[in-house]
Amino acid sequence: MKHYKLSVLTLALATAGLSSYGVVAQEAKAATNDKKAEDQIEVIQVSGIRRSLQLAQDLKQQSTSVVEAVSAEDIGKLPDMSIAESIARLPGLAAQRLDGRANVVSVRGLAPDFTTATLNGREQVTVGDNRGVEFDQYPSEMMSNVVVYKTPDAGVMAQAIGGTIDMQTVRPLAHGEQSIVFNLRGEHNSLGALNPDSTANGFRGSFSYIDQFADDTVGIALGYAKMTSPNQEERWNAWGYPDLNSTTKVIGGAKPFVRSSELKRDGWLAIVEYKPTERLHTTFDAYYADFEDEQRLRGIELPLQWSSASLTANPTVENGFVTKGTFNNVEAVMRNDVNLRTADTFSFGWNTEYQLDKNWSLEADLSTSSADRKDFGLESYSGSGRGSDVGAKDNLGFSFGNDGIVRFTPTLNYADPNLFKLGAALNWANGLTVPGNGQDGFINTPSIEDTLNAIRLSATRAFDDGALASVEFGMNYSEREKTKLDEGYYLTLKAYPAMLSVPGEFALAPTSLDFIGMGSMLSYDSLALYRSGAYNEVSEG
């Protein structure tokens, strides 16, 4: 039997081999343990309102300017009627309301005309008379983020003195997963339907679809939002408070109305994103909104102190103001008015980025935006006689309530179709070619067109070290044209000089004015009456 004595070198190599095997074995065992641990890890994904607040905070922290931000917790999850409602809650911003809805936004107390709005960084046209953007044209369900720049930023092309509000839509590739979202909400107005041809019920619905294709090189996002929103309003409007004598003031006249409106808005959004390589990235996005607002207003104009009506003796006077009394010989004018507004807003943009190398990148952005708005305002008058001092006159009691609204006590039935007929109750026809009592109505038809085309080219140079991280430079060219045409027409019944009983096919149930004590008033479909050809039109020019 042979015995071998291991040399020092052999022992060293053997030891090294065992050590090596031990290390490999330990690494394999560690990898197995890591895999088991990974399989057992509980993933906590933040979503909901916390995620929304976190995203908004990240946007603010990453900006080099003073900004405010709001972010949707998920696509289609901003709950407001329009994006104006969402951003109005941010610090330093306030929304101005029109007919119950948030319409335009002020930044830092400056008027809306000192604020501009962009969609994905591109300046937007407006449907308003000036440059203040009416944000109720933009459904909140379509937006992913909104960033409000309160200070100038060199990277923002469109800037205003008050601030810049950038509305941002989703990017499907960055979203990273397929999403299909439906939303449906209902609403009911507690005042009910104040006018007989209105409704108290409405709804909002939206649909969003996001997906990625071709190994995540192509992404699409499609969205649609529809809203039908009613609004009801009881409106008190005084003409003013002239002097009754040297120590006492009295109400000059009143114009109480009930207004019923229905806002209809359809919004479409389409985004296509293409990133075939790490160097090339291009995005198309288009947005279109169809906006329609229909209002029915019915009320009675009551000339009081500023008319031939007379205040009875010994009215109640408190602190130099007549709070209770009676006006005799009041000639009232009833109004059945209609306001229609239609507006179309379109925005399209194409952005392409190309990375030349690790330090140089190029970007091109082309965009167009257009808006077309048409208004139609119709006033239709009725009374008990044509012209002044002709028809029935009312002895109208009045008293001021603690809310500052006057409650009246009439002696006439303003819903009587035999007493009140179509035609001018007062001599209002300024400049009309027919005699001065021939203004039986009026229409106003302003329209606005606004177009904006822009192109932006830029290059960015990044630095590996030094005080500057990168420098961006380029050019931006935009061309904008906005026009407004406003035409008005006097309306005179074709039956002039006779007054006309409301035709049966246009008659409606009476409208209640009980909120100011006037009872009910004569109501009819004035728009259908006008479209039937009952009036002659004379241009106010």
Side-chain angles (χ1 to χ4, degrees):
M1 183 175 183
K2 295 183 179 179
H3 297 277
Y4 295 94
K5 184 178 179 181
L6 298 177
S7 66
V8 176
L9 178 59
T10 303
L11 289 173
L13 291 174
T15 304
L18 288 173
S19 299
S20 222
Y21 173 78
V23 170
V24 172
Q26 289 177 9
E27 289 179 350
K29 183 178 181 180
T32 302
N33 291 338
D34 289 345
K35 183 66 171 65
K36 291 180 178 179
E38 182 179 336
D39 293 339
Q40 296 174 358
I41 289 177
E42 180 180 358
V43 178
I44 300 175
Q45 181 174 351
V46 180
S47 61
I49 188 62
R50 290 187 179 182
R51 177 61 174 166
S52 173
L53 296 175
Q54 184 182 55
L55 290 174
Q57 184 181 32
D58 290 344
L59 288 171
K60 295 174 66 174
Q61 288 179 337
Q62 293 172 12
S63 176
T64 57
S65 303
V66 178
V67 303
E68 297 292 343
V70 60
S71 179
E73 59 185 272
D74 201 351
I75 186 70
K77 286 296 186 68
L78 285 174
D80 303 291
M81 292 179 59
S82 70
I83 201 63
E85 305 272 3
S86 301
I87 59 181
R89 292 191 290 269
L90 294 173
L93 278 76
Q96 295 183 17
R97 293 191 170 270
L98 175 66
D99 299 331
R101 67 180 185 273
N103 177 248
V104 294
V105 174
S106 300
V107 180
R108 299 184 302 174
L110 294 174
D113 288 339
F114 293 99
T115 300
T116 192
T118 59
L119 180 63
N120 294 324
R122 306 178 183 104
E123 185 179 2
Q124 297 298 288
V125 295
T126 64
V127 298
D129 292 352
N130 299 307
R131 291 205 172 191
V133 175
E134 297 189 359
F135 288 95
D136 51 7
Q137 305 284 321
Y138 299 91
S140 61
E141 296 93 339
M142 296 291 191
M143 303 303 159
S144 178
N145 302 303
V146 181
V147 180
V148 182
Y149 293 86
K150 293 183 175 180
T151 57
D153 190 302
V156 179
M157 290 297 100
Q159 300 188 64
I161 297 175
T164 303
I165 300 175
D166 184 30
M167 299 173 286
Q168 301 172 359
T169 58
V170 69
R171 286 294 177 253
L173 291 182
H175 187 74
E177 61 183 3
Q178 184 188 74
S179 296
I180 302 175
V181 179
F182 292 92
N183 284 307
L184 184 63
R185 301 178 177 92
E187 62 177 279
H188 175 75
N189 196 294
S190 61
L191 287 176
L194 296 180
N195 281 286
D197 47 357
S198 67
T199 180
N201 301 313
F203 74 94
R204 290 169 53 203
S206 66
F207 165 76
S208 300
Y209 171 69
I210 304 173
D211 210 344
Q212 302 79 35
F213 305 95
D215 295 329
D216 290 339
T217 61
V218 178
I220 65 169
L222 303 174
Y224 171 69
K226 183 177 183 62
M227 179 179 71
T228 299
S229 179
N231 187 267
Q232 308 288 337
E233 178 184 64
E234 295 174 335
R235 180 184 299 177
W236 163 253
N237 184 6
W239 282 4
Y241 303 94
D243 294 330
L244 178 65
N245 52 50
S246 60
T247 60
T248 306
K249 290 184 176 295
V250 66
I251 185 171
K255 186 180 177 180
F257 273 81
V258 293
R259 179 187 59 81
S260 300
S261 65
E262 187 175 39
L263 173 63
K264 297 179 180 179
R265 184 189 62 205
D266 293 271
W268 289 266
L269 177 68
I271 301 170
V272 178
E273 195 173 8
Y274 180 51
K275 190 175 182 181
T277 67
E278 290 300 320
R279 289 176 175 268
L280 179 63
H281 184 197
T282 187
T283 305
F284 301 85
D285 58 80
Y287 171 74
Y288 174 74
D290 182 15
F291 181 93
E292 181 180 336
D293 187 16
E294 179 175 334
Q295 301 181 2
R296 305 280 177 158
L297 300 95
R298 293 186 173 92
I300 305 178
E301 297 209 37
L302 301 168
L304 300 175
Q305 182 65 21
W306 279 328
S307 72
S308 59
S310 59
L311 181 65
T312 57
N314 302 317
T316 301
V317 179
E318 298 179 14
N319 300 320
F321 190 81
V322 177
T323 59
K324 187 176 182 180
T326 299
F327 277 99
N328 293 326
N329 302 318
V330 176
E331 294 182 274
V333 178
M334 279 189 290
R335 299 268 297 268
N336 279 251
D337 297 353
V338 177
N339 291 328
L340 301 177
R341 168 174 289 190
T342 59
D344 296 326
T345 303
F346 174 73
S347 179
F348 172 79
W350 176 27
N351 181 273
T352 299
E353 299 177 7
Y354 185 75
Q355 189 76 33
L356 291 174
D357 53 37
K358 69 173 185 176
N359 296 115
W360 283 95
S361 63
L362 304 176
E363 182 178 359
D365 190 277
L366 287 80
S367 64
T368 182
S369 180
S370 63
D372 185 5
R373 189 198 91 195
K374 291 181 173 61
D375 288 358
F376 178 84
L378 168 65
E379 300 175 6
S380 178
Y381 313 141
S382 56
S384 59
R386 180 175 291 281
S388 300
D389 298 321
V390 176
K393 297 181 180 181
D394 199 356
N395 297 324
L396 196 62
F398 70 95
S399 62
F400 275 86
N402 294 329
D403 55 4
I405 297 178
V406 174
R407 270 72 181 183
F408 296 100
T409 306
T411 59
L412 298 177
N413 179 10
Y414 288 90
D416 185 354
N418 298 316
L419 178 60
F420 291 95
K421 301 181 179 182
L422 300 172
L426 295 174
N427 298 332
W428 282 358
N430 296 323
L432 194 57
T433 55
V434 299
N437 57 15
Q439 185 179 344
D440 299 330
F442 189 81
I443 59 174
N444 194 32
T445 60
S447 62
I448 285 179
E449 293 184 359
D450 193 0
T451 58
L452 173 63
N453 299 310
I455 179 172
R456 176 169 59 88
L457 303 174
S458 64
T460 301
R461 170 70 162 91
F463 299 97
D464 297 329
D465 50 28
L468 296 178
S470 64
V471 174
E472 182 180 4
F473 57 92
M475 59 82 66
N476 182 76
Y477 174 80
S478 63
E479 183 179 72
R480 184 171 185 176
E481 181 178 355
K482 186 165 188 171
T483 60
K484 178 180 179 181
L485 178 63
D486 195 350
E487 296 179 307
Y489 301 88
Y490 295 107
L491 300 181
T492 302
L493 286 168
K494 290 183 177 179
Y496 178 87
M499 299 186 76
L500 181 67
S501 296
V502 176
E505 64 267 32
F506 306 121
L508 300 172
T511 298
S512 174
L513 297 179
D514 284 339
F515 79 103
I516 42 92
M518 289 298 294
S520 297
M521 64 165 284
L522 181 71
S523 300
Y524 52 92
D525 189 341
S526 56
L527 181 60
L529 176 68
Y530 165 77
R531 288 173 174 171
S532 72
Y535 295 97
N536 290 318
E537 299 180 19
V538 177
S539 175
E540 67 174 343

